Amino acid sequence: DTEVTQTPKHLVMGMTNKKSLKCEQHMGHRAMYWYKQKAKKPPELMFVYSYEKLSINESVPSRFSPECPNSSLLNLHLHALQPEDSALYLCASSQEVGRNTEAFFGQGTRLTVV
Amino acid sequence: AQKITQTQPGMFVQEKEAVTLDCTYDTSDQSYGLFWYKQPSSGEMIFLIYQGSYDEQNATEGRYSLNFQKARKSANLVISASQLGDSAMYFCAMREHEGATNKLIFGTGTLLAVQP
């Protein structure tokens, strides 16, 4: 199983809503990531979890709240988002040890904030 | 400072021909990894090929090969015998050693269009 599964695939939410993006992998990877990708731009790193602990927060606004309940799951809780937060949100995972390990990505969640 | 540079916003190639996508990088680290990913319009990022900074041979994976020139800090992707399904955005990425983190940084991408 070399899949990273993200749900939902599409999400439309209002600026006052609270929603969560979910990501799951069963490859035994101990590093998990959230990226944000705007149209025609490269993915931008938001958060990195290493062994279920937050190791990198790229100065992401607090309206984005990550959570890693266990080694297979990664959530991104959304609250009071702005229209400019509309983007493709990609989850990825990789083996923690060493730098010669590729990251496997999910298909992403296309988020639209109205 | 830009860490990964892809100078070709878009490329065209005829089906069955080879194409080279350029990537240059900037790092002061001696140990790093270079990656290429393909992103079709569906959005998924698909890993293609990896090159380690200490690898002496260029990486190859099927129709993909990486032309690694360490002194020039370049890691160009070569796709041989292009297929229509190769049409996609291609990202070069680098992972540096920064403590215990696994930060993967992407270039701006090259949009490849394969023409029949």
Side-chain angles (χ1 to χ4, degrees):
Chain A
D1 183 2
T2 58
E3 280 193 352
V4 176
T5 304
Q6 287 187 246
T7 56
K9 288 187 169 44
H10 300 272
L11 178 63
V12 179
M13 61 184 290
M15 288 187 284
T16 58
N17 291 159
K18 285 185 181 180
K19 296 287 184 183
S20 296
L21 308 185
K22 297 185 182 301
C23 175
E24 189 170 5
Q25 58 88 14
H26 295 288
M27 294 177 278
H29 290 171
R30 303 312 296 271
M32 296 187 76
Y33 315 73
W34 280 114
Y35 282 85
K36 173 183 177 181
Q37 187 178 24
K38 302 285 278 184
K40 299 182 180 180
K41 297 289 187 182
E44 295 179 356
L45 184 64
M46 299 174 72
F47 302 105
V48 179
Y49 270 83
S50 178
Y51 290 88
E52 295 99 71
K53 293 184 179 178
L54 184 64
S55 62
I56 294 178
N57 177 339
E58 292 287 278
S59 302
V60 179
S62 60
R63 57 185 185 269
F64 294 92
S65 175
E67 178 197 19
C68 191
N70 60 55
S71 59
S72 299
L73 295 174
L74 184 66
N75 298 324
L76 186 63
H77 302 298
L78 314 173
H79 173 55
L81 294 194
Q82 303 297 312
E84 58 265 29
D85 296 322
S86 299
L88 178 68
Y89 288 84
L90 291 162
C91 174
S93 72
S94 68
Q95 293 178 17
E96 173 62 18
V97 178
R99 58 196 63 81
N100 57 339
T101 54
E102 65 269 30
F104 291 88
F105 284 80
Q107 287 193 320
T109 294
R110 290 193 186 274
L111 173 68
T112 303
V113 181
V114 297
Chain B
Q2 186 79 30
K3 296 268 190 175
I4 302 281
T5 303
Q6 294 181 253
T7 58
Q8 305 155 315
M11 289 280 288
F12 288 97
V13 65
Q14 289 295 123
E15 194 178 6
K16 300 181 184 178
E17 292 186 351
V19 63
T20 298
L21 306 183
D22 295 340
C23 173
T24 57
Y25 58 93
D26 182 27
T27 180
S28 57
D29 199 351
Q30 295 302 308
S31 182
Y32 51 89
L34 296 158
F35 305 80
W36 277 92
Y37 284 85
K38 171 185 177 182
Q39 188 177 38
S41 56
S42 60
E44 184 181 5
M45 295 286 281
I46 302 167
F47 167 73
L48 296 178
I49 196 166
Y50 161 82
Q51 180 83 43
S53 58
Y54 291 122
D55 294 342
E56 293 186 354
Q57 290 191 331
N58 287 342
T60 60
E61 287 287 347
R63 293 186 299 112
Y64 305 108
S65 61
L66 202 152
N67 184 0
F68 182 46
Q69 298 189 40
K70 193 171 182 177
R72 294 185 178 183
K73 293 189 176 178
S74 74
N76 298 340
L77 176 70
V78 180
I79 305 175
S80 62
S82 298
Q83 302 172 355
L84 296 177
D86 294 334
S87 295
M89 182 71 87
Y90 288 80
F91 290 100
C92 180
M94 178 173 68
R95 190 200 305 279
E96 293 180 307
H97 177 63
E98 289 185 20
T101 65
N102 276 285
K103 214 170 179 178
L104 188 64
I105 302 168
F106 289 85
T108 51
T110 296
L111 183 61
L112 177 66
V114 180
Q115 297 176 320

